[in-house]
């Protein structure tokens, strides 16, 4: 985790669901090692004085090209620390619920928006895929946050929490 005085990188992530309750995940990997891969929700760090909600919508548009979404409440919050591209990233992440507004939007999101990606993202994001809850629960691939299938099951059973759930800190 960060040294005293260092701050966690503030991040907004999007739990994007289509009308069939499939979740959009991006497929990432180490820039120099495509075999070291994982799946994760769209999102990224805040820029300037933008709010987390503004960052969530901007990141979703930059990474997928999707802008016709309805942003909902913050579902989860977590702190995480992981190595990536030769450095350690320490983050404070908020996960927003969002919904596409129709089936056409969910198909449009199956492609990555190459023009909106940073150089590092172009070297480390291999694609995107819509996952059903069942596919995610049965997957043998690395997915972040690690309990995503369980969290989605709870979301589908109980609806959004009245206040964000604080997830266990993940250190990779």
């Amino acid at each position: 985790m960060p040294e005293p005085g260092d701050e966690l990188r503030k991040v907004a992530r999007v739990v994007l669901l289509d009308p069939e309750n499939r979740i959009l995940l991006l497929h990432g990997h180490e820039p120099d090692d495509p075999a070291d891969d994982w799946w994760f929700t769209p999102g990224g760090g805040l820029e300037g004085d933008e709010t987390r909600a503004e960052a969530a919508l901007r990141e979703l548009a930059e990474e997928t090209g999707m802008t016709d979404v309805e942003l909902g409440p913050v579902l989860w919050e977590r702190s995480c620390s992981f190595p990536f591209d030769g450095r350690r990233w320490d983050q404070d992440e908020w996960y927003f619920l969002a919904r596409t507004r129709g089936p056409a939007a969910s198909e449009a999101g199956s492609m990555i928006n190459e023009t909106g990606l940073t150089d590092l993202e172009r070297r480390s994001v291999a694609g995107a895929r819509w996952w059903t809850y069942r596919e995610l629960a049965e997957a043998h691939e690395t997915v972040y946050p690690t309990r995503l299938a369980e969290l989605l099951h709870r979301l589908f059973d109980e609806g959004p929490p009245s206040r964000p759930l604080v997830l266990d800190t993940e250190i990779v």
Side-chain angles (χ1 to χ4, degrees):
M1 298 308 289
E3 295 296 318
D6 288 349
E7 289 189 32
L8 293 172
R9 178 176 181 243
K10 294 179 181 176
V11 172
R13 298 213 162 276
V14 180
V15 176
L16 182 63
L17 302 177
D18 73 1
E20 298 171 32
N21 275 341
R22 296 180 301 171
I23 184 171
L24 181 68
L25 296 180
L26 304 182
H27 189 205
H29 59 82
E30 272 292 331
D32 298 324
D33 185 6
D36 184 2
D37 68 331
W38 56 87
W39 292 88
F40 63 103
T41 58
L46 277 64
E47 294 181 356
D49 61 353
E50 71 184 347
T51 67
R52 299 251 191 168
E54 291 166 341
L57 291 172
R58 176 187 50 76
E59 286 285 339
L60 185 63
E62 288 176 359
E63 294 172 349
T64 68
M66 296 180 68
T67 56
D68 190 22
V69 298
E70 180 182 333
L71 193 64
V74 177
L75 299 171
W76 317 308
E77 295 177 6
R78 80 166 182 155
S79 293
C80 62
S81 179
F82 55 91
F84 177 67
D85 193 38
R87 66 170 270 220
R88 180 149 291 274
W89 298 72
D90 300 310
Q91 300 189 158
D92 172 37
E93 299 181 337
W94 288 14
Y95 289 78
F96 286 85
L97 176 61
R99 293 239 177 224
T100 61
R101 297 200 171 136
S106 69
E107 295 313 313
S110 64
M111 302 297 292
I112 293 295
N113 179 24
E114 289 286 333
T115 60
L117 299 181
T118 66
D119 178 61
L120 179 58
E121 289 168 333
R122 278 191 291 282
R123 293 186 296 119
S124 63
V125 178
R129 176 181 162 197
W130 290 96
W131 294 72
T132 66
Y133 160 74
R134 181 173 303 282
E135 290 169 335
L136 195 55
E138 295 172 356
H140 296 289
E141 299 177 62
T142 302
V143 176
Y144 294 110
T146 55
R147 295 175 39 227
L148 184 57
E150 175 188 329
L151 293 165
L152 285 176
H153 186 260
R154 184 172 177 179
L155 174 65
F156 295 153
D157 279 355
E158 301 173 11
S162 59
R163 64 176 182 253
L165 298 174
V166 178
L167 307 180
D168 291 339
T169 298
E170 280 191 57
I171 300 175
V172 178

